[in-house]
Amino acid sequence: MSADALTTATCPALTELVALRARAAELAAGARRRSADRAAGQRHSPFRGRGMDYAESRAYAAGDDVRHVDWRLTARTGDLHTKLFAAERERTSAVVLDTSSSLHFGTRVCFKSVLAARLAALFTWFAQSEGDRVCAAGFGPRSGQLPAAGTQRGALRVLQAICDWSRPAPVDAIEQPLSAALDRLARTLRAGAHVLVLLDAASIDDEALRALQRLRRHHDLIAAVLVDPLERERLPAGRYRVATAGGEAVLEVPRGAEPGWQRALRLRQDDALERLRRAGVGARLISTREDPVAALRDLLRGAPPREAA
C-alpha cells in the first residue's frame, strides 16, 4: 500500500469528503427519510417536522378554528384572539460523530473512523441537497458542536469539523459521553430534525439510550454501529498484521474455537444494535468493507438491520 493510500485509509481528508458530494445524489434513489416510529403514517408530507410554525396572533373572526385560540393573549386583553401559523418548510439534519479511540482501527479498506467520516460527509451533502440546514456534534475524547447552517459554506464547516474530530486525541483527553452530546444537541434543535448517530458499540450505555429516547420524542433518529470485518468473521489460524493509530501490530488467531476477544466484540455489537432497535432508533451495522453509499441508503430508507458485509 502506498503512503498516500495508507494516509487516506487511516485519516479522512477534507478533499475526499468534499468530493463525496458527487455521490450524495445516489442516496436519493430509494432513500425515503421516515420516522423510526412504528406508529408513523405511510403518507409523506412535502413539509418537514411539525408542519406549521407559529407566525402571529390576531383578533378572532367567525370561522376561525377554535383549536387555535390564543388563550394567554385572550386572558390578557379580554378579547378573543386566534393564532396564525405558517408552513414550516425547512428542516435540520444533524450528524453525531463518535471520536473514541476504538474507531482508530481497521483491517480492511480503512479505519472505522474514516468510514464514519465518509458516512457523515455523504449525509451532510444529501441533507444540503434536500434544502436542510446541517449541524454536527462530536463526542468522546474530541468533542464539540456546530450550529445549523443552510448554505454550502455551512456544509463545508461541518466537513472540516469532522476531519478535526477524526484525528487521534491526546492520551490524557477527557472523554465526553454520548448522552451529554445528545442532550446538548437537543437544546438547539427544532422539532422534526433528522439525526444520524455514527458510533462504536462500546459507546452505547444506559445513559446514552435514555438520551436517545428523549431525543426521539421530537426528532427522527438513525444510527450506524461501525464494525471491522475482523470483529465479525472467523479467521483461519495464523498471524495477521493490523493497522492501528500507533502503527502496525501483529494479531494471533489460534487454532480451534473462536477467540474470546472476537466473540466478545461480536456479542457487544449485536447487543448494541438490539438495544438501539428497542429504543426505537433505526439502526444497522456498517462494515469498513461496505460501500458507504449503499449502506447509508439502506439506513435512510429504513431497510431492516442486517449482518454487515
Side-chain angles (χ1 to χ4, degrees), residues 4 63-64 230 252 270 278:
D4 289 343
D64 286 343
L230 182 66
E252 293 196 20
D270 291 342
R278 288 201 303 266

Side-chain angles (χ1 to χ4, degrees), residues 78-279:
D79 296 321
L80 197 59
H81 282 73
T82 187
K83 295 179 180 178
L84 299 181
F85 296 88
E88 179 189 343
R89 298 173 182 267
E90 193 174 62
R91 177 170 174 159
T92 300
S93 285
V95 175
V96 181
L97 185 70
D98 192 344
T99 68
S100 302
S101 58
S102 55
L103 292 178
H104 295 277
F105 164 80
T107 62
R108 311 282 179 86
V109 183
C110 64
F111 277 7
K112 292 193 287 184
S113 58
V114 173
L115 172 63
R118 291 170 180 170
L119 291 167
L122 286 165
F123 182 78
T124 297
W125 285 126
F126 176 63
Q128 202 255 347
S129 71
E130 293 276 291
D132 292 4
R133 294 164 60 83
V134 291
C135 63
F139 70 95
R142 291 193 183 274
S143 59
Q145 185 169 326
L146 284 181
T151 63
Q152 180 176 318
R153 185 176 180 182
L156 291 173
R157 288 179 64 237
V158 169
L159 300 189
Q160 182 61 66
I162 290 168
C163 288
D164 293 341
W165 295 337
S166 298
R167 291 184 290 110
V171 293
D172 58 348
I174 299 175
E175 297 205 13
Q176 181 189 63
L178 173 57
S179 56
L182 292 174
D183 287 340
R184 186 173 63 178
L185 180 65
R187 292 192 288 270
T188 67
L189 292 177
R190 299 172 62 184
H194 196 215
V195 183
L196 169 65
V197 184
L198 300 160
L199 76 167
D200 186 79
S203 297
I204 291 292
D205 56 21
D206 292 341
E207 285 297 323
L209 286 171
R210 283 191 283 269
L212 285 165
Q213 289 172 326
R214 289 192 294 270
L215 197 64
R216 184 182 165 274
R217 294 171 190 165
H218 306 288
H219 310 288
D220 293 338
L221 269 63
I222 54 176
V225 180
L226 308 166
V227 302
D228 182 86
L230 182 66
E231 300 168 333
R232 307 293 300 177
E233 300 174 359
R234 180 70 175 98
L235 297 178
R239 292 165 60 87
Y240 295 87
R241 285 171 39 181
V242 179
T244 70
E248 287 193 353
V250 175
L251 181 68
E252 293 196 20
V253 177
R255 295 182 182 277
E258 177 183 35
W261 60 264
Q262 190 178 49
R263 182 173 183 274
L265 285 172
R266 179 170 50 80
L267 291 176
R268 183 169 65 183
Q269 291 163 356
D270 291 342
D271 179 65
L273 186 64
E274 182 58 29
R275 296 180 80 187
L276 287 167
R277 292 178 63 188
R278 288 201 303 266

